[in-house]
Amino acid sequence: MVRQAVGDRDVEYTVKGKKVKTIENEDEEKAYQEIRDTFDTDVVKIFVCLPDMKFDTMNLDESKQVAEMYYSYDGETIGYIINMPYRDSSLGIDFEDPIEKKYSKEIHKCKINITLYEIEDSNVPKCVAKFKYGNIEYILMGTMSEQNFEKILKNLFFPK
């Protein structure tokens, strides 16, 4: 099944019985509202706080209970994964790049684990933040300076 509305902006399709919804080139708030409507809860939101950073795409997989949001910044992609665990499971992503730095930080009373990975032939690291808030797992990743990554983290909007 395929459904398209407003050009190519709102696409819904079913793959082997799985319903996946993709929102492209749309208002970021519409994507967050779709996540809220689907999972019946508010989630931690990214605030676009860097110059030239903009919302790109959101993929929502109801069967896996995962939303993937993508932003573009400085020619790179920022990925933001929201995992709504419906059983005792965890979402994990591993990188093969060597670890440059690893630390934790508390932002809005939420412990965030941050890892910076060295990327060959690049002077900017791959930055990854993992945290849980209200039983929801989040992973934020992007290739940028540590300062810009922390600016995004400091501007996260936590629901009450």
Side-chain angles (χ1 to χ4, degrees):
M1 177 190 96
V2 176
R3 188 184 107 218
Q4 291 182 319
V6 195
D8 291 329
R9 290 191 241 177
D10 191 2
V11 180
E12 186 174 330
Y13 56 95
T14 301
V15 180
K16 295 183 183 178
K18 294 181 185 177
K19 188 174 180 182
V20 178
K21 181 147 188 153
T22 301
I23 294 177
E24 295 178 345
N25 302 323
E26 275 294 321
D27 182 7
E28 180 182 18
E29 270 309 309
K30 181 178 178 184
Y32 280 115
Q33 185 62 47
E34 187 72 33
I35 293 168
R36 188 191 188 305
D37 292 347
T38 302
F39 299 134
D40 196 31
T41 188
D42 285 317
V43 296
V44 177
K45 297 178 184 177
I46 288 181
F47 177 71
V48 175
C49 58
L50 302 175
D52 301 326
M53 179 179 167
K54 65 180 181 100
F55 173 72
D56 238 356
T57 307
M58 187 269 297
N59 296 320
L60 181 64
D61 189 328
E62 290 182 54
S63 66
K64 289 182 182 176
Q65 301 266 296
V66 174
E68 299 170 353
M69 299 187 73
Y70 298 99
Y71 296 78
S72 60
Y73 168 69
D74 198 26
E76 299 285 341
T77 299
I78 298 170
Y80 187 48
I81 300 170
I82 303 166
N83 182 37
M84 311 289 282
Y86 49 93
R87 52 180 110 95
D88 292 333
S89 65
S90 183
L91 180 66
I93 295 176
D94 285 330
F95 296 96
E96 307 243 343
D97 300 310
I99 294 174
E100 182 179 304
K101 187 176 181 182
K102 201 172 191 176
Y103 61 100
S104 294
K105 188 169 213 145
E106 190 170 301
I107 298 173
H108 298 284
K109 298 181 183 177
C110 178
K111 182 183 175 189
I112 299 177
N113 297 313
I114 301 161
T115 307
L116 305 180
Y117 295 89
E118 289 179 36
I119 299 177
E120 195 175 312
D121 300 328
S122 177
N123 58 352
V124 256
K126 162 83 76 187
C127 304
V128 178
K130 298 178 183 179
F131 61 98
K132 267 190 171 184
Y133 187 78
N135 291 331
I136 301 170
E137 291 179 300
Y138 298 87
I139 299 175
L140 174 66
M141 60 196 135
T143 303
M144 66 187 72
S145 72
E146 182 179 358
Q147 277 181 300
N148 283 340
F149 192 69
E150 285 208 9
K151 188 173 184 179
I152 293 172
L153 291 175
K154 286 176 187 168
N155 283 286
L156 290 173
F157 180 78
F158 288 78
K160 295 183 183 197

